[in-house]
Amino acid sequence: MSSRRCRSALALALTAFAAPALILLLPALAAAAPIRLWHAYRDDEARALDAIVAAFKGEEVELLAVPFDAYASKLQSAIPMGEGPDLFIDAHERLGDFRARDLVAPVGDTLEPGGEAVFQGPALAAVRQGGEIFGLPISQKCVALYMNTALVNEAPATLEDIAALVGSLPQGVYPLAYEASNAYAHMPILAAFGGAMLSEGDQFGFVGPGPERSLDLVRSLIERRVIPEDANGALVTDLFNAGRAAFVISGPWFAGGLGEEARRRARVVPLPKVRETGLPMRPFLTVEAVMLSPQGARRPEARALARHLAGAAAAATRLAVARTPPVRSDVAIPAGDAFIAAFIEQAKVAIPMPTSPAMRSTWEPSTRAIRKVLRGDAPPDVALSEAKRRFDDVRRPPPPPASTAPLLVALGALALGLALRWLRAARGADPETTHWRPSRRSLVRSFVRSFVRSFVRSIPAYKYVAHAVVAIGVLVMVPLVIGAATSLFAGRGEDLRYVGLANFISILTARGGPLFASGSFYLVLAVTVLWTAVNLALHVLLGVSLALLLHRPALRLRALYRVLLIVPWAVPSYVTALSWKGMFHRQFGAVTGLIEAVNSALGTSIAPIAWFSSFTTAFTANVATNVWLGFPFMMVVTLGALTAVPQDVLEAAEVDGATRWQRLQRVTLPLIRPVLAPAVTLGAIWTFNMFNVVFLVSGGDPDGTTDILVSEAYRWAFTREAQYGYAAAYSVLIFLLLTAATRKWRFRRRTPASAIPQGGAAAGSAPAPAAATEAA
């Protein structure tokens, strides 16, 4: 027997012997895999979790920190594929959506015997659905009242007591600061008037006499300067740090942004009552819980880790490291720790946030209604009625399923057309078939023969472009095809269904409403076109003008100016957008400070501008930010093009008597136009889809009128119950619009040879060179 046959026989014997052993070892190998735990913690909370996991006596734990903004989408895509975590930590309000997608399993025996009694307040009720518990609470968070003890000494009994401090505090100090235009922050006052964001049966609850009175109260507080206008989280923190706010409504996360001095004079107490109703202010309660994925629920070691994460020792570690208020009654609070005690007391009367997926659809219309009322754009009843209509529009059932027959017919016709085109190309490529009509068999044979010959000749070229084709296919073409296919579906979770062109019909018919109503496709398209045209014109005007200045040889320090003017383009766009948004703040922005300086210097009385209260000013703020971001690109491209302009041509035009303006118009601009054309096209595409500026500066205010198509698509995908099919239809329409616009622009740039002037320049101007005339 040869050595090769001996080796083959030995390998076969080993395989036959090892196969049963491997089959028996598969469960053991699966059990030996590390436990995967996902979370979205940072800073102190992440360090506390590391310490808790390090103390776990069991299997190896694989920790993965996922950014909060992408956390839910990562879970939704990974767990159904079996690649997700065995257990994860998340807020309880997502349970409804997680259950609809089969991402969580009941904890079962993971809850220790008699463990229900140790959880405080409504923490355990928040994770209970249908009689089963779907998570083990590990922390609870809600807002409470921060006191600045340097300004006030006693906790107020009512909200009106805080408002009464207006005349007794130093000038420039607000009695209360919180994000009044935010629906989540408004919930405590809404609850004091008996209102709710979401009512029974997943109906919009932020409507009626109680909610209207709550908005009237907040508006009166702003008019009396009890609370600042348009306050965001950063502004509230700055006011408290600077000693310009006596009270602040915020959660335990607020303490992390305070300085040492502000932290020493801060004290936390439960929220007061509202004297008008006699009811306490009750905030939303968010319970963070350990949840088990379906595959993790089948692993005893994963359930043991979940029990460990929710145990008393873990709660004590979170309390010591991250100052997280515990949910267990058997965890001792340090004596004199009023901070933790206040949040625990506040959580006992807080309202657990609803877990229904409909809750996500309440935030956008509620926040828009609050802003309209607080800015005086609409009375409460009108604003809240409009918010309810928007909620009902988002919540309406998806279109009925459609037949796939038209799609299959269209795909078959497309395939047939491509095949006929290839056959026609093969017939024209083979010289043997040009003077006689070939049979079908000879035509196919000719096509195959020409295809093989061309493929063999092109193999060296294919080797050079293969990696680029694969990269573009994976990164560009596959997402385009998947996005286009997604636009043909509608529904949420397991209710996803094929609906054909129903999403496109709904968009193009403005969802059955007026064609130019707020939020309709045509109104948003008009705003997008105006946005693109204004920005592009300013980009080209400023970019070309600055490039012509910097290209002058006599200009000193040109290199320094170039570096300084490129800085706006080098800074990340979201950083610039947030900076400009702060500059446009009506009370504390840099623009308002400049107006006040002008008033002081010239004795004028120019009033500060509420930039985001009207379309004109909000659109102007967006344009100013985007022009600051975009003009350096045009400047750099123009500078590169100007270096290629022949100096002898300019000198010849000057000798012929052309003025500086004529040389620019007749020589320079025609020569740099071929370089500027693709840059202008790219700028138009980038501006058309400039999401960061619109979303971060104006946020669509007022009332969504400054939204563009890409920001509207984002809202349908991520703030309106994840209607990905509808958002994908918006994306397809954006792609088609840009494709049609760029192709039309390319055709318009083509000029027939007969139309190119062959003579000199117009009378009274210098004769342009042939190259410049042709470019013109």
Side-chain angles (χ1 to χ4, degrees):
M1 183 181 295
S2 65
S3 60
R4 180 178 298 178
R5 291 183 179 180
C6 290
R7 287 195 299 267
S8 300
L10 180 60
L12 184 60
L14 290 175
T15 303
F17 175 77
L22 289 174
I23 293 175
L24 293 175
L25 287 175
L26 281 178
L29 291 174
I35 306 171
R36 290 177 290 185
L37 171 62
W38 286 15
H39 65 92
Y41 287 150
R42 295 183 302 173
D43 302 329
D44 289 342
E45 290 182 314
R47 286 190 288 271
L49 182 61
D50 291 338
I52 294 169
V53 171
F56 176 64
K57 305 300 182 182
E59 300 293 337
E60 179 186 356
V61 180
E62 183 181 283
L63 276 172
L64 179 62
V66 181
F68 177 78
D69 293 340
Y71 194 58
S73 60
K74 294 288 186 182
L75 292 171
Q76 293 168 9
S77 59
I79 292 180
M81 302 297 294
E83 298 296 332
D86 296 304
L87 63 166
F88 56 94
I89 300 173
D90 203 2
H92 81 279
E93 58 260 25
R94 289 176 173 170
L95 264 178
D97 189 46
F98 288 165
R99 286 195 62 196
R101 299 174 183 270
D102 289 331
L103 303 183
V104 292
V107 298
D109 61 351
T110 305
L111 183 65
E112 56 193 77
E116 296 189 22
V118 303
F119 292 104
Q120 303 182 83
L124 199 62
V127 293
R128 190 193 301 272
Q129 289 191 349
E132 291 186 295
I133 298 174
F134 285 86
L136 296 180
I138 61 174
S139 66
Q140 53 189 6
K141 297 177 181 178
C142 62
V143 300
L145 189 66
Y146 283 79
M147 296 174 52
N148 187 342
T149 57
L151 298 172
V152 290
N153 297 321
E154 296 182 0
T158 64
L159 181 62
E160 288 78 0
D161 293 338
I162 298 178
L165 296 174
V166 171
S168 61
L169 295 173
Q171 186 177 4
V173 176
Y174 289 92
L176 177 65
Y178 77 102
E179 299 180 63
S181 59
N182 184 280
Y184 177 84
H186 182 72
M187 180 60 199
I189 299 179
L190 175 63
F193 283 88
M197 290 290 176
L198 195 67
S199 61
E200 296 293 333
D202 291 345
Q203 298 299 313
F204 190 72
F206 192 24
V207 66
E212 293 172 11
R213 290 164 57 198
S214 72
L215 291 177
D216 283 331
L217 174 60
V218 177
R219 184 177 178 183
S220 69
L221 295 178
I222 293 178
E223 292 174 349
R224 294 157 54 192
R225 297 187 64 83
V226 176
I227 57 178
E229 295 181 64
D230 296 330
N232 54 25
L235 177 60
V236 172
T237 303
D238 291 341
L239 289 176
F240 197 86
N241 277 325
R244 297 183 60 187
F247 294 94
V248 161
I249 298 177
S250 191
W253 54 86
F254 180 72
L258 298 180
E260 291 297 329
E261 177 62 26
R263 195 172 298 181
R264 280 195 298 268
R265 50 182 164 82
R267 176 186 166 197
V268 183
V269 295
L271 293 172
K273 295 182 178 181
V274 173
R275 185 185 302 163
E276 183 179 343
T277 63
L279 297 176
M281 298 171 62
R282 302 178 61 194
F284 270 138
L285 176 71
T286 295
V287 177
E288 289 185 338
V290 181
M291 304 178 191
L292 292 168
S293 65
Q295 58 265 31
R298 295 190 292 268
R299 298 185 62 178
E301 59 274 16
R303 296 199 301 272
L305 176 59
R307 192 180 301 112
H308 172 75
L309 293 172
T317 303
R318 277 187 291 269
L319 176 61
V321 177
R323 304 276 292 160
T324 302
V327 295
R328 298 177 64 100
S329 58
D330 55 355
V331 177
I333 304 299
D337 194 337
F339 179 86
I340 299 296
F343 279 108
I344 292 177
E345 192 66 24
Q346 183 68 74
K348 293 179 180 178
V349 297
I351 302 172
M353 191 177 296
T355 60
S356 170
M359 186 64 200
R360 297 178 61 186
S361 299
T362 64
W363 299 120
E364 183 186 354
S366 298
T367 299
R368 286 188 176 182
I370 293 172
R371 290 177 179 174
K372 291 183 70 173
V373 173
L374 298 187
R375 291 171 179 167
D377 296 336
D381 56 341
V382 174
L384 294 181
S385 298
E386 185 178 0
K388 184 179 185 304
R389 287 195 298 271
R390 287 175 172 168
F391 174 86
D392 294 338
D393 181 60
V394 172
R395 289 287 299 168
R396 70 183 187 181
S403 172
T404 57
L407 177 63
L408 297 177
V409 171
L411 292 177
L414 178 62
L416 181 60
L418 291 175
L420 292 176
R421 182 176 179 179
W422 288 340
L423 290 175
R424 190 179 299 112
R427 179 181 177 182
D430 196 336
E432 299 178 0
T433 62
T434 55
H435 300 291
W436 58 282
R437 186 175 183 87
S439 64
R440 187 178 305 171
R441 180 178 299 178
S442 62
L443 188 60
V444 172
R445 187 184 304 114
S446 174
F447 169 73
V448 172
R449 185 166 58 250
S450 63
F451 176 79
V452 171
R453 284 200 303 265
S454 62
F455 179 78
V456 172
R457 288 196 305 266
S458 303
I459 286 179
Y462 289 154
K463 291 180 180 179
Y464 286 104
V465 301
H467 64 286
V469 171
V470 172
I472 293 176
V474 172
L475 299 178
V476 178
M477 300 307 299
V478 171
L480 282 176
V481 172
I482 293 177
T486 304
S487 66
L488 304 178
F489 292 81
R492 309 170 185 89
E494 294 184 346
D495 194 30
L496 198 65
R497 64 185 73 168
Y498 175 80
V499 295
L501 300 178
N503 288 327
F504 295 94
I505 294 173
S506 180
I507 292 174
L508 296 177
T509 57
R511 299 178 68 84
L515 292 184
F516 288 92
S518 177
S520 71
F521 171 78
Y522 298 99
L523 181 62
V524 178
L525 175 61
V527 173
T528 307
V529 172
L530 177 64
W531 158 260
T532 305
V534 172
N535 277 281
L536 195 60
L538 293 175
H539 287 170
V540 174
L541 178 63
L542 287 177
V544 173
S545 301
L546 290 172
L548 291 172
L549 289 175
L550 294 176
H551 189 64
R552 297 180 62 185
L555 182 66
R556 301 177 62 182
L557 301 178
R558 287 191 300 168
L560 177 62
Y561 295 148
R562 289 183 183 184
V563 172
L564 293 178
L565 291 172
I566 290 175
V567 167
W569 190 30
V571 176
S573 60
Y574 65 90
V575 175
T576 302
L578 291 176
S579 300
W580 279 77
K581 180 179 178 64
M583 292 169 57
F584 286 117
H585 194 277
R586 186 174 186 269
Q587 288 180 281
F588 305 102
V591 177
T592 299
L594 182 61
I595 292 175
E596 292 176 353
V598 171
N599 289 339
S600 300
L602 303 180
T604 57
S605 57
I606 303 174
I609 301 173
W611 287 95
F612 305 113
S613 62
S614 69
F615 170 79
T616 303
T617 53
F619 186 81
T620 302
N622 286 344
V623 168
T625 306
N626 196 57
V627 169
W628 174 260
L629 283 168
F631 80 85
F633 172 73
M634 291 296 175
M635 183 190 72
V636 171
V637 172
T638 307
L639 279 172
L642 288 173
T643 59
V645 176
Q647 287 297 320
D648 54 350
V649 176
L650 293 173
E651 293 172 358
E654 186 178 2
V655 169
D656 289 341
T659 64
R660 180 175 297 177
W661 170 252
Q662 290 172 338
R663 294 198 300 272
L664 173 65
Q665 182 183 12
R666 297 286 182 170
V667 180
T668 304
L669 291 182
L671 288 176
I672 67 174
R673 187 179 302 167
V675 178
L676 282 180
V680 170
T681 303
L682 282 176
I685 294 173
W686 292 339
T687 305
F688 198 90
N689 289 324
M690 181 51 71
F691 171 80
N692 287 352
V693 171
V694 174
F695 188 79
L696 295 177
V697 177
S698 72
D701 284 340
D703 200 29
T705 54
T706 56
D707 270 325
I708 59 176
L709 289 176
V710 66
S711 61
E712 187 71 10
Y714 169 86
R715 297 188 191 282
W716 282 107
F718 299 106
T719 65
R720 298 170 183 170
E721 296 194 38
Q723 300 191 36
Y724 296 121
Y726 201 82
Y730 258 97
S731 302
V732 171
L733 289 175
I734 292 172
F735 174 78
L736 294 177
L737 286 170
L738 290 175
T739 302
T742 52
R743 288 184 65 85
K744 182 178 179 181
W745 168 254
R746 188 184 71 178
F747 289 144
R748 288 183 62 186
R749 286 179 56 229
R750 293 180 179 177
T751 305
S754 60
I756 298 177
Q758 303 297 325
S765 63
T773 306
E774 185 177 356

